[in-house]
Amino acid sequence: GGYREMSGAVPPAAPAEAALSAPTRRDGATRQHARIREVNVLSLLAIIVCTCAVTFLSTSTMLHVAFTCALFVLMAAMGFARAGAGFLLAFAVTHAWLALNVRFDIGFPSPMAFTFVLEMLPLLMPVYLLVQAPSGKLMASLRQLPIPSPVLLAVIVILRFMPTMLSELADVRDAMRTRGFLRSPAHVLAHPLATLEFGVVPMVFRSLTIADELASSCIVRGIESPCAKQSYYAHGMRIGDGALMAGFAIASILIVVG
């Protein structure tokens, strides 16, 4: 009975079309992110590849930091300055703590864990931009690559499903806080089973509902049709996209080689 009350307090999920193409609640209105719609998705994929090369092949800490700052500038130019500042702050805090950890031989938390976080944070910055792109534009751009349709569809669903689930999780957390289940950390620790029930059970039901809506939306949009798919998003490569790819490619090569 408790989880029914909790699930009833959660606002109804958006339709599957909104789940696939609408930006998350955190990111604000669509008009604030019009710039991400103008960028070719393939250029974002190229930046992700460059970031992987710098992250795992670079031996210079200062160049790694400089490349991360360049990613922050890119996010700010796309209209995601707050999210970019969060990534940059987490990167700076992790880097500073790792330096203290190594200098004073602090064994807990493990330096390997901080190293992993330090390497993943720059990679998450272009991935964040990729997730913000409309699913139609993402699908149209990825169709230009030699990727099988089932794999392509799975990638699109994964990229759009995670932000939707994070939004649903925020709704469940707000409902729990309104009903007094998240009064304090001590209360959560004192009632772990109740917290688990009121948090996990609504998420399970919402996940099943969203999965059904996504499947229905894909069928209605003709995902099973063998005909050639069209998109109203322009996915041609512009001069700005080429300059963006060339700049990050040259920077990554210089950092890795140097």
Side-chain angles (χ1 to χ4, degrees):
Y3 67 81
R4 291 192 180 92
E5 296 178 1
M6 280 300 308
S7 59
V10 180
E17 181 177 353
L20 279 172
S21 59
T24 58
R25 182 181 58 182
R26 285 197 310 269
D27 300 327
T30 304
R31 63 179 179 272
Q32 297 177 345
H33 308 124
R35 295 178 184 176
I36 196 65
R37 296 176 178 269
E38 301 175 358
V39 178
N40 192 289
V41 172
L42 297 181
S43 63
L44 295 178
L45 292 175
I47 293 175
I48 292 175
V49 173
C50 294
T51 306
C52 289
V54 172
T55 299
F56 298 108
L57 300 179
S58 174
T59 57
S60 173
T61 302
M62 294 303 299
L63 293 178
H64 190 196
V65 173
F67 192 86
T68 305
C69 293
L71 291 174
F72 165 72
V73 173
L74 175 63
M75 294 188 67
M78 294 295 174
F80 299 93
R82 172 178 288 185
F87 281 112
L88 195 62
L89 178 61
F91 182 85
V93 171
T94 305
H95 190 279
W97 179 256
L98 181 61
L100 293 175
N101 203 321
V102 173
R103 180 174 182 179
F104 296 102
D105 195 20
I106 303 175
F108 182 83
S110 173
M112 293 184 61
F114 281 99
T115 303
F116 177 78
V117 173
L118 196 65
E119 292 179 348
M120 291 303 298
L121 282 174
L123 183 59
L124 292 177
M125 297 172 76
V127 171
Y128 181 90
L129 293 177
L130 183 66
V131 170
Q132 306 309 313
S135 60
K137 183 179 181 66
L138 191 61
M139 180 76 79
S141 299
L142 292 180
R143 282 200 188 102
Q144 302 177 57
L145 302 177
I147 302 177
S149 297
V151 177
L152 181 62
L153 180 60
V155 172
I156 298 297
V157 171
I158 291 174
L159 290 177
R160 302 309 302 170
F161 187 76
M162 293 307 297
T164 303
M165 291 308 301
L166 291 177
S167 178
E168 292 291 334
L169 182 60
D171 292 336
V172 172
R173 186 176 62 249
D174 292 342
M176 293 178 65
R177 185 178 292 110
T178 301
R179 292 178 176 270
F181 294 112
L182 296 178
R183 288 193 293 251
S184 65
H187 182 270
V188 173
L189 295 176
H191 304 84
L193 295 180
T195 304
L196 185 65
E197 177 186 2
F198 296 137
V200 173
V201 174
M203 287 301 300
V204 171
F205 279 96
R206 292 306 311 141
S207 300
L208 296 175
T209 303
I210 292 174
D212 291 338
E213 292 176 350
L214 288 176
S216 301
S217 177
C218 291
I219 294 174
V220 170
R221 293 184 178 196
I223 197 66
E224 298 176 336
S225 174
C227 301
K229 307 298 188 302
Q230 301 295 329
S231 175
Y232 60 85
Y233 288 102
H235 52 269
M237 191 69 68
R238 303 183 307 170
I239 297 178
D241 296 320
L244 193 64
M245 293 174 59
F248 275 92
I250 293 173
S252 61
I253 292 174
L254 293 177
I255 291 175
V256 172
V257 175

mmCIF file of all heavy atoms in Angstrom, residues 45-95:
data_model
loop_
_atom_site.group_PDB
_atom_site.id
_atom_site.type_symbol
_atom_site.label_atom_id
_atom_site.label_comp_id
_atom_site.label_asym_id
_atom_site.label_seq_id
_atom_site.Cartn_x
_atom_site.Cartn_y
_atom_site.Cartn_z
ATOM 1 N N LEU A 45 30.785 13.381 -31.994
ATOM 2 C CA LEU A 45 31.399 12.055 -31.895
ATOM 3 C C LEU A 45 32.904 12.136 -32.109
ATOM 4 O O LEU A 45 33.678 11.441 -31.432
ATOM 5 C CB LEU A 45 30.765 11.115 -32.923
ATOM 6 C CG LEU A 45 29.303 10.727 -32.685
ATOM 7 C CD1 LEU A 45 28.782 9.893 -33.845
ATOM 8 C CD2 LEU A 45 29.154 9.955 -31.386
ATOM 9 N N ALA A 46 33.341 12.983 -33.039
ATOM 10 C CA ALA A 46 34.777 13.146 -33.268
ATOM 11 C C ALA A 46 35.455 13.747 -32.036
ATOM 12 O O ALA A 46 36.577 13.346 -31.672
ATOM 13 C CB ALA A 46 35.008 14.032 -34.487
ATOM 14 N N ILE A 47 34.780 14.688 -31.374
ATOM 15 C CA ILE A 47 35.351 15.280 -30.153
ATOM 16 C C ILE A 47 35.437 14.235 -29.049
ATOM 17 O O ILE A 47 36.397 14.221 -28.262
ATOM 18 C CB ILE A 47 34.501 16.490 -29.724
ATOM 19 C CG1 ILE A 47 34.619 17.609 -30.760
ATOM 20 C CG2 ILE A 47 34.930 16.995 -28.355
ATOM 21 C CD1 ILE A 47 33.724 18.789 -30.486
ATOM 22 N N ILE A 48 34.458 13.342 -28.969
ATOM 23 C CA ILE A 48 34.510 12.269 -27.976
ATOM 24 C C ILE A 48 35.718 11.366 -28.231
ATOM 25 O O ILE A 48 36.431 10.966 -27.304
ATOM 26 C CB ILE A 48 33.206 11.453 -27.994
ATOM 27 C CG1 ILE A 48 32.046 12.303 -27.482
ATOM 28 C CG2 ILE A 48 33.331 10.190 -27.150
ATOM 29 C CD1 ILE A 48 30.697 11.625 -27.569
ATOM 30 N N VAL A 49 35.974 11.050 -29.505
ATOM 31 C CA VAL A 49 37.140 10.223 -29.848
ATOM 32 C C VAL A 49 38.428 10.947 -29.473
ATOM 33 O O VAL A 49 39.357 10.347 -28.904
ATOM 34 C CB VAL A 49 37.117 9.876 -31.346
ATOM 35 C CG1 VAL A 49 38.409 9.159 -31.745
ATOM 36 C CG2 VAL A 49 35.917 9.003 -31.678
ATOM 37 N N CYS A 50 38.503 12.242 -29.762
ATOM 38 C CA CYS A 50 39.692 13.023 -29.394
ATOM 39 C C CYS A 50 39.885 13.062 -27.880
ATOM 40 O O CYS A 50 41.018 12.966 -27.381
ATOM 41 C CB CYS A 50 39.581 14.437 -29.952
ATOM 42 S SG CYS A 50 39.601 14.553 -31.753
ATOM 43 N N THR A 51 38.780 13.198 -27.158
ATOM 44 C CA THR A 51 38.867 13.218 -25.697
ATOM 45 C C THR A 51 39.353 11.877 -25.161
ATOM 46 O O THR A 51 40.143 11.835 -24.205
ATOM 47 C CB THR A 51 37.497 13.570 -25.097
ATOM 48 O OG1 THR A 51 37.020 14.792 -25.666
ATOM 49 C CG2 THR A 51 37.595 13.724 -23.593
ATOM 50 N N CYS A 52 38.897 10.784 -25.751
ATOM 51 C CA CYS A 52 39.380 9.458 -25.340
ATOM 52 C C CYS A 52 40.882 9.344 -25.563
ATOM 53 O O CYS A 52 41.617 8.809 -24.706
ATOM 54 C CB CYS A 52 38.647 8.375 -26.117
ATOM 55 S SG CYS A 52 36.917 8.155 -25.671
ATOM 56 N N ALA A 53 41.358 9.847 -26.696
ATOM 57 C CA ALA A 53 42.798 9.775 -26.984
ATOM 58 C C ALA A 53 43.604 10.575 -25.972
ATOM 59 O O ALA A 53 44.631 10.103 -25.461
ATOM 60 C CB ALA A 53 43.060 10.277 -28.406
ATOM 61 N N VAL A 54 43.126 11.788 -25.679
ATOM 62 C CA VAL A 54 43.849 12.622 -24.714
ATOM 63 C C VAL A 54 43.793 12.017 -23.314
ATOM 64 O O VAL A 54 44.779 12.009 -22.564
ATOM 65 C CB VAL A 54 43.281 14.050 -24.719
ATOM 66 C CG1 VAL A 54 43.880 14.881 -23.591
ATOM 67 C CG2 VAL A 54 43.539 14.716 -26.061
ATOM 68 N N THR A 55 42.644 11.499 -22.944
ATOM 69 C CA THR A 55 42.460 10.974 -21.594
ATOM 70 C C THR A 55 43.339 9.771 -21.316
ATOM 71 O O THR A 55 43.963 9.673 -20.251
ATOM 72 C CB THR A 55 40.985 10.598 -21.381
ATOM 73 O OG1 THR A 55 40.175 11.771 -21.524
ATOM 74 C CG2 THR A 55 40.773 10.004 -20.000
ATOM 75 N N PHE A 56 43.415 8.851 -22.269
ATOM 76 C CA PHE A 56 44.103 7.583 -22.014
ATOM 77 C C PHE A 56 45.519 7.521 -22.569
ATOM 78 O O PHE A 56 46.271 6.610 -22.216
ATOM 79 C CB PHE A 56 43.277 6.430 -22.599
ATOM 80 C CG PHE A 56 41.915 6.293 -21.984
ATOM 81 C CD1 PHE A 56 40.777 6.647 -22.699
ATOM 82 C CD2 PHE A 56 41.764 5.839 -20.683
ATOM 83 C CE1 PHE A 56 39.518 6.523 -22.133
ATOM 84 C CE2 PHE A 56 40.514 5.719 -20.109
ATOM 85 C CZ PHE A 56 39.385 6.069 -20.836
ATOM 86 N N LEU A 57 45.891 8.481 -23.413
ATOM 87 C CA LEU A 57 47.225 8.428 -24.013
ATOM 88 C C LEU A 57 48.122 9.588 -23.618
ATOM 89 O O LEU A 57 49.326 9.531 -23.858
ATOM 90 C CB LEU A 57 47.114 8.378 -25.546
ATOM 91 C CG LEU A 57 46.356 7.180 -26.134
ATOM 92 C CD1 LEU A 57 46.307 7.276 -27.644
ATOM 93 C CD2 LEU A 57 46.989 5.866 -25.696
ATOM 94 N N SER A 58 47.556 10.623 -23.047
ATOM 95 C CA SER A 58 48.370 11.778 -22.670
ATOM 96 C C SER A 58 49.187 11.489 -21.418
ATOM 97 O O SER A 58 48.714 10.826 -20.478
ATOM 98 C CB SER A 58 47.463 12.992 -22.438
ATOM 99 O OG SER A 58 48.207 14.081 -21.949
ATOM 100 N N THR A 59 50.408 11.999 -21.404
ATOM 101 C CA THR A 59 51.294 11.839 -20.239
ATOM 102 C C THR A 59 51.530 13.159 -19.514
ATOM 103 O O THR A 59 52.203 13.171 -18.488
ATOM 104 C CB THR A 59 52.636 11.248 -20.673
ATOM 105 O OG1 THR A 59 53.231 12.102 -21.676
ATOM 106 C CG2 THR A 59 52.450 9.848 -21.259
ATOM 107 N N SER A 60 50.999 14.245 -20.049
ATOM 108 C CA SER A 60 51.199 15.565 -19.448
ATOM 109 C C SER A 60 49.947 15.973 -18.689
ATOM 110 O O SER A 60 48.853 16.055 -19.266
ATOM 111 C CB SER A 60 51.516 16.602 -20.536
ATOM 112 O OG SER A 60 51.558 17.906 -19.988
ATOM 113 N N THR A 61 50.112 16.224 -17.419
ATOM 114 C CA THR A 61 48.971 16.635 -16.599
ATOM 115 C C THR A 61 48.467 18.018 -16.993
ATOM 116 O O THR A 61 47.254 18.255 -17.068
ATOM 117 C CB THR A 61 49.362 16.631 -15.119
ATOM 118 O OG1 THR A 61 49.811 15.322 -14.749
ATOM 119 C CG2 THR A 61 48.185 17.006 -14.240
ATOM 120 N N MET A 62 49.394 18.930 -17.262
ATOM 121 C CA MET A 62 48.992 20.289 -17.606
ATOM 122 C C MET A 62 48.228 20.335 -18.930
ATOM 123 O O MET A 62 47.240 21.052 -19.055
ATOM 124 C CB MET A 62 50.239 21.185 -17.685
ATOM 125 C CG MET A 62 50.939 21.368 -16.348
ATOM 126 S SD MET A 62 49.839 22.040 -15.063
ATOM 127 C CE MET A 62 49.392 23.606 -15.793
ATOM 128 N N LEU A 63 48.671 19.558 -19.907
ATOM 129 C CA LEU A 63 47.957 19.520 -21.178
ATOM 130 C C LEU A 63 46.587 18.872 -21.026
ATOM 131 O O LEU A 63 45.618 19.265 -21.689
ATOM 132 C CB LEU A 63 48.787 18.777 -22.219
ATOM 133 C CG LEU A 63 50.088 19.468 -22.651
ATOM 134 C CD1 LEU A 63 50.834 18.605 -23.650
ATOM 135 C CD2 LEU A 63 49.794 20.851 -23.244
ATOM 136 N N HIS A 64 46.500 17.885 -20.140
ATOM 137 C CA HIS A 64 45.212 17.259 -19.858
ATOM 138 C C HIS A 64 44.251 18.278 -19.243
ATOM 139 O O HIS A 64 43.069 18.341 -19.609
ATOM 140 C CB HIS A 64 45.420 16.071 -18.921
ATOM 141 C CG HIS A 64 44.212 15.219 -18.768
ATOM 142 N ND1 HIS A 64 44.063 14.310 -17.747
ATOM 143 C CD2 HIS A 64 43.062 15.139 -19.492
ATOM 144 C CE1 HIS A 64 42.899 13.706 -17.865
ATOM 145 N NE2 HIS A 64 42.274 14.188 -18.912
ATOM 146 N N VAL A 65 44.751 19.078 -18.329
ATOM 147 C CA VAL A 65 43.935 20.123 -17.708
ATOM 148 C C VAL A 65 43.523 21.162 -18.744
ATOM 149 O O VAL A 65 42.374 21.620 -18.770
ATOM 150 C CB VAL A 65 44.707 20.774 -16.546
ATOM 151 C CG1 VAL A 65 43.947 21.982 -16.008
ATOM 152 C CG2 VAL A 65 44.942 19.767 -15.429
ATOM 153 N N ALA A 66 44.455 21.547 -19.613
ATOM 154 C CA ALA A 66 44.143 22.536 -20.648
ATOM 155 C C ALA A 66 43.068 22.022 -21.606
ATOM 156 O O ALA A 66 42.173 22.768 -22.012
ATOM 157 C CB ALA A 66 45.414 22.895 -21.419
ATOM 158 N N PHE A 67 43.133 20.742 -21.965
ATOM 159 C CA PHE A 67 42.128 20.162 -22.847
ATOM 160 C C PHE A 67 40.765 20.136 -22.159
ATOM 161 O O PHE A 67 39.736 20.391 -22.798
ATOM 162 C CB PHE A 67 42.552 18.750 -23.241
ATOM 163 C CG PHE A 67 41.747 18.165 -24.363
ATOM 164 C CD1 PHE A 67 42.084 18.408 -25.679
ATOM 165 C CD2 PHE A 67 40.632 17.379 -24.107
ATOM 166 C CE1 PHE A 67 41.350 17.882 -26.730
ATOM 167 C CE2 PHE A 67 39.887 16.843 -25.138
ATOM 168 C CZ PHE A 67 40.241 17.095 -26.457
ATOM 169 N N THR A 68 40.747 19.851 -20.863
ATOM 170 C CA THR A 68 39.488 19.871 -20.119
ATOM 171 C C THR A 68 38.900 21.273 -20.070
ATOM 172 O O THR A 68 37.680 21.453 -20.192
ATOM 173 C CB THR A 68 39.722 19.345 -18.695
ATOM 174 O OG1 THR A 68 40.325 18.047 -18.749
ATOM 175 C CG2 THR A 68 38.419 19.247 -17.926
ATOM 176 N N CYS A 69 39.752 22.271 -19.912
ATOM 177 C CA CYS A 69 39.268 23.657 -19.938
ATOM 178 C C CYS A 69 38.698 24.011 -21.313
ATOM 179 O O CYS A 69 37.711 24.760 -21.415
ATOM 180 C CB CYS A 69 40.402 24.611 -19.574
ATOM 181 S SG CYS A 69 40.977 24.470 -17.860
ATOM 182 N N ALA A 70 39.305 23.483 -22.379
ATOM 183 C CA ALA A 70 38.765 23.711 -23.721
ATOM 184 C C ALA A 70 37.387 23.083 -23.872
ATOM 185 O O ALA A 70 36.497 23.653 -24.516
ATOM 186 C CB ALA A 70 39.732 23.151 -24.767
ATOM 187 N N LEU A 71 37.185 21.922 -23.267
ATOM 188 C CA LEU A 71 35.856 21.295 -23.297
ATOM 189 C C LEU A 71 34.840 22.136 -22.534
ATOM 190 O O LEU A 71 33.672 22.235 -22.943
ATOM 191 C CB LEU A 71 35.932 19.885 -22.701
ATOM 192 C CG LEU A 71 36.703 18.842 -23.515
ATOM 193 C CD1 LEU A 71 36.818 17.543 -22.724
ATOM 194 C CD2 LEU A 71 36.005 18.585 -24.847
ATOM 195 N N PHE A 72 35.274 22.750 -21.436
ATOM 196 C CA PHE A 72 34.376 23.639 -20.699
ATOM 197 C C PHE A 72 33.978 24.838 -21.561
ATOM 198 O O PHE A 72 32.807 25.256 -21.572
ATOM 199 C CB PHE A 72 35.037 24.122 -19.414
ATOM 200 C CG PHE A 72 34.349 25.304 -18.792
ATOM 201 C CD1 PHE A 72 33.119 25.156 -18.167
ATOM 202 C CD2 PHE A 72 34.919 26.571 -18.842
ATOM 203 C CE1 PHE A 72 32.468 26.247 -17.607
ATOM 204 C CE2 PHE A 72 34.281 27.659 -18.285
ATOM 205 C CZ PHE A 72 33.056 27.498 -17.668
ATOM 206 N N VAL A 73 34.936 25.408 -22.291
ATOM 207 C CA VAL A 73 34.634 26.534 -23.179
ATOM 208 C C VAL A 73 33.623 26.102 -24.239
ATOM 209 O O VAL A 73 32.690 26.853 -24.584
ATOM 210 C CB VAL A 73 35.920 27.069 -23.824
ATOM 211 C CG1 VAL A 73 35.600 28.119 -24.884
ATOM 212 C CG2 VAL A 73 36.842 27.653 -22.765
ATOM 213 N N LEU A 74 33.774 24.883 -24.761
ATOM 214 C CA LEU A 74 32.831 24.371 -25.751
ATOM 215 C C LEU A 74 31.426 24.243 -25.149
ATOM 216 O O LEU A 74 30.433 24.634 -25.782
ATOM 217 C CB LEU A 74 33.310 23.015 -26.266
ATOM 218 C CG LEU A 74 32.372 22.289 -27.228
ATOM 219 C CD1 LEU A 74 32.189 23.098 -28.505
ATOM 220 C CD2 LEU A 74 32.894 20.894 -27.542
ATOM 221 N N MET A 75 31.327 23.697 -23.940
ATOM 222 C CA MET A 75 30.028 23.560 -23.301
ATOM 223 C C MET A 75 29.404 24.920 -23.029
ATOM 224 O O MET A 75 28.188 25.108 -23.211
ATOM 225 C CB MET A 75 30.161 22.764 -22.000
ATOM 226 C CG MET A 75 30.573 21.316 -22.189
ATOM 227 S SD MET A 75 30.500 20.351 -20.644
ATOM 228 C CE MET A 75 28.741 20.340 -20.326
ATOM 229 N N ALA A 76 30.203 25.880 -22.599
ATOM 230 C CA ALA A 76 29.678 27.224 -22.356
ATOM 231 C C ALA A 76 29.194 27.862 -23.649
ATOM 232 O O ALA A 76 28.160 28.543 -23.674
ATOM 233 C CB ALA A 76 30.747 28.081 -21.700
ATOM 234 N N ALA A 77 29.919 27.644 -24.746
ATOM 235 C CA ALA A 77 29.498 28.196 -26.031
ATOM 236 C C ALA A 77 28.206 27.570 -26.521
ATOM 237 O O ALA A 77 27.434 28.207 -27.241
ATOM 238 C CB ALA A 77 30.608 27.997 -27.061
ATOM 239 N N MET A 78 27.965 26.326 -26.145
ATOM 240 C CA MET A 78 26.733 25.639 -26.537
ATOM 241 C C MET A 78 25.551 25.986 -25.636
ATOM 242 O O MET A 78 24.432 25.535 -25.873
ATOM 243 C CB MET A 78 26.945 24.115 -26.502
ATOM 244 C CG MET A 78 27.933 23.619 -27.517
ATOM 245 S SD MET A 78 27.358 23.871 -29.198
ATOM 246 C CE MET A 78 28.804 23.350 -30.107
ATOM 247 N N GLY A 79 25.788 26.761 -24.578
ATOM 248 C CA GLY A 79 24.714 27.140 -23.682
ATOM 249 C C GLY A 79 24.597 26.291 -22.432
ATOM 250 O O GLY A 79 23.579 26.353 -21.742
ATOM 251 N N PHE A 80 25.638 25.509 -22.124
ATOM 252 C CA PHE A 80 25.612 24.636 -20.950
ATOM 253 C C PHE A 80 26.737 25.031 -19.993
ATOM 254 O O PHE A 80 27.514 24.183 -19.540
ATOM 255 C CB PHE A 80 25.750 23.175 -21.365
ATOM 256 C CG PHE A 80 24.653 22.689 -22.261
ATOM 257 C CD1 PHE A 80 24.784 22.721 -23.626
ATOM 258 C CD2 PHE A 80 23.464 22.216 -21.726
ATOM 259 C CE1 PHE A 80 23.776 22.287 -24.459
ATOM 260 C CE2 PHE A 80 22.446 21.774 -22.550
ATOM 261 C CZ PHE A 80 22.603 21.811 -23.919
ATOM 262 N N ALA A 81 26.820 26.331 -19.712
ATOM 263 C CA ALA A 81 27.899 26.818 -18.864
ATOM 264 C C ALA A 81 27.801 26.261 -17.445
ATOM 265 O O ALA A 81 28.818 25.914 -16.835
ATOM 266 C CB ALA A 81 27.892 28.349 -18.832
ATOM 267 N N ARG A 82 26.583 26.163 -16.912
ATOM 268 C CA ARG A 82 26.439 25.665 -15.542
ATOM 269 C C ARG A 82 26.865 24.215 -15.443
ATOM 270 O O ARG A 82 27.605 23.840 -14.519
ATOM 271 C CB ARG A 82 24.981 25.817 -15.081
ATOM 272 C CG ARG A 82 24.702 25.165 -13.750
ATOM 273 C CD ARG A 82 23.273 25.359 -13.294
ATOM 274 N NE ARG A 82 23.010 26.734 -12.883
ATOM 275 C CZ ARG A 82 21.862 27.138 -12.346
ATOM 276 N NH1 ARG A 82 20.870 26.279 -12.184
ATOM 277 N NH2 ARG A 82 21.702 28.392 -11.992
ATOM 278 N N ALA A 83 26.426 23.382 -16.375
ATOM 279 C CA ALA A 83 26.835 21.982 -16.356
ATOM 280 C C ALA A 83 28.342 21.862 -16.568
ATOM 281 O O ALA A 83 29.013 21.051 -15.903
ATOM 282 C CB ALA A 83 26.089 21.195 -17.424
ATOM 283 N N GLY A 84 28.884 22.669 -17.475
ATOM 284 C CA GLY A 84 30.330 22.633 -17.698
ATOM 285 C C GLY A 84 31.111 23.056 -16.474
ATOM 286 O O GLY A 84 32.153 22.480 -16.157
ATOM 287 N N ALA A 85 30.598 24.075 -15.755
ATOM 288 C CA ALA A 85 31.266 24.503 -14.519
ATOM 289 C C ALA A 85 31.230 23.404 -13.467
ATOM 290 O O ALA A 85 32.192 23.228 -12.706
ATOM 291 C CB ALA A 85 30.603 25.772 -13.997
ATOM 292 N N GLY A 86 30.128 22.650 -13.426
ATOM 293 C CA GLY A 86 30.061 21.529 -12.484
ATOM 294 C C GLY A 86 31.089 20.461 -12.798
ATOM 295 O O GLY A 86 31.775 19.953 -11.897
ATOM 296 N N PHE A 87 31.229 20.121 -14.073
ATOM 297 C CA PHE A 87 32.244 19.152 -14.467
ATOM 298 C C PHE A 87 33.650 19.668 -14.148
ATOM 299 O O PHE A 87 34.503 18.925 -13.650
ATOM 300 C CB PHE A 87 32.142 18.854 -15.964
ATOM 301 C CG PHE A 87 31.051 17.894 -16.328
ATOM 302 C CD1 PHE A 87 29.945 18.326 -17.043
ATOM 303 C CD2 PHE A 87 31.125 16.563 -15.962
ATOM 304 C CE1 PHE A 87 28.930 17.448 -17.384
ATOM 305 C CE2 PHE A 87 30.111 15.670 -16.297
ATOM 306 C CZ PHE A 87 29.018 16.120 -17.019
ATOM 307 N N LEU A 88 33.885 20.949 -14.452
ATOM 308 C CA LEU A 88 35.206 21.522 -14.222
ATOM 309 C C LEU A 88 35.525 21.584 -12.733
ATOM 310 O O LEU A 88 36.671 21.316 -12.321
ATOM 311 C CB LEU A 88 35.270 22.919 -14.846
ATOM 312 C CG LEU A 88 36.665 23.526 -15.023
ATOM 313 C CD1 LEU A 88 37.504 22.661 -15.959
ATOM 314 C CD2 LEU A 88 36.563 24.945 -15.564
ATOM 315 N N LEU A 89 34.541 21.930 -11.914
ATOM 316 C CA LEU A 89 34.766 21.971 -10.470
ATOM 317 C C LEU A 89 35.059 20.578 -9.923
ATOM 318 O O LEU A 89 35.973 20.400 -9.103
ATOM 319 C CB LEU A 89 33.540 22.561 -9.773
ATOM 320 C CG LEU A 89 33.598 22.637 -8.241
ATOM 321 C CD1 LEU A 89 34.753 23.523 -7.797
ATOM 322 C CD2 LEU A 89 32.277 23.159 -7.680
ATOM 323 N N ALA A 90 34.291 19.578 -10.383
ATOM 324 C CA ALA A 90 34.557 18.204 -9.944
ATOM 325 C C ALA A 90 35.939 17.748 -10.383
ATOM 326 O O ALA A 90 36.650 17.060 -9.630
ATOM 327 C CB ALA A 90 33.479 17.272 -10.506
ATOM 328 N N PHE A 91 36.351 18.150 -11.575
ATOM 329 C CA PHE A 91 37.687 17.796 -12.067
ATOM 330 C C PHE A 91 38.766 18.437 -11.213
ATOM 331 O O PHE A 91 39.758 17.786 -10.847
ATOM 332 C CB PHE A 91 37.824 18.242 -13.524
ATOM 333 C CG PHE A 91 39.142 17.898 -14.159
ATOM 334 C CD1 PHE A 91 39.350 16.646 -14.725
ATOM 335 C CD2 PHE A 91 40.168 18.822 -14.189
ATOM 336 C CE1 PHE A 91 40.567 16.327 -15.306
ATOM 337 C CE2 PHE A 91 41.382 18.513 -14.767
ATOM 338 C CZ PHE A 91 41.583 17.258 -15.334
ATOM 339 N N ALA A 92 38.582 19.722 -10.861
ATOM 340 C CA ALA A 92 39.583 20.423 -10.047
ATOM 341 C C ALA A 92 39.670 19.829 -8.645
ATOM 342 O O ALA A 92 40.774 19.620 -8.113
ATOM 343 C CB ALA A 92 39.236 21.908 -9.979
ATOM 344 N N VAL A 93 38.517 19.533 -8.034
ATOM 345 C CA VAL A 93 38.518 18.961 -6.684
ATOM 346 C C VAL A 93 39.167 17.576 -6.693
ATOM 347 O O VAL A 93 39.978 17.239 -5.808
ATOM 348 C CB VAL A 93 37.081 18.899 -6.140
ATOM 349 C CG1 VAL A 93 37.031 18.104 -4.837
ATOM 350 C CG2 VAL A 93 36.539 20.308 -5.923
ATOM 351 N N THR A 94 38.836 16.763 -7.690
ATOM 352 C CA THR A 94 39.411 15.426 -7.779
ATOM 353 C C THR A 94 40.911 15.497 -7.999
ATOM 354 O O THR A 94 41.684 14.737 -7.399
ATOM 355 C CB THR A 94 38.755 14.642 -8.930
ATOM 356 O OG1 THR A 94 37.343 14.629 -8.737
ATOM 357 C CG2 THR A 94 39.263 13.216 -8.963
ATOM 358 N N HIS A 95 41.337 16.418 -8.859
ATOM 359 C CA HIS A 95 42.773 16.571 -9.130
ATOM 360 C C HIS A 95 43.520 17.021 -7.879
ATOM 361 O O HIS A 95 44.602 16.510 -7.566
ATOM 362 C CB HIS A 95 42.978 17.572 -10.268
ATOM 363 C CG HIS A 95 44.372 17.630 -10.785
ATOM 364 N ND1 HIS A 95 45.380 18.349 -10.172
ATOM 365 C CD2 HIS A 95 44.955 17.031 -11.860
ATOM 366 C CE1 HIS A 95 46.502 18.216 -10.846
ATOM 367 N NE2 HIS A 95 46.280 17.414 -11.872
#
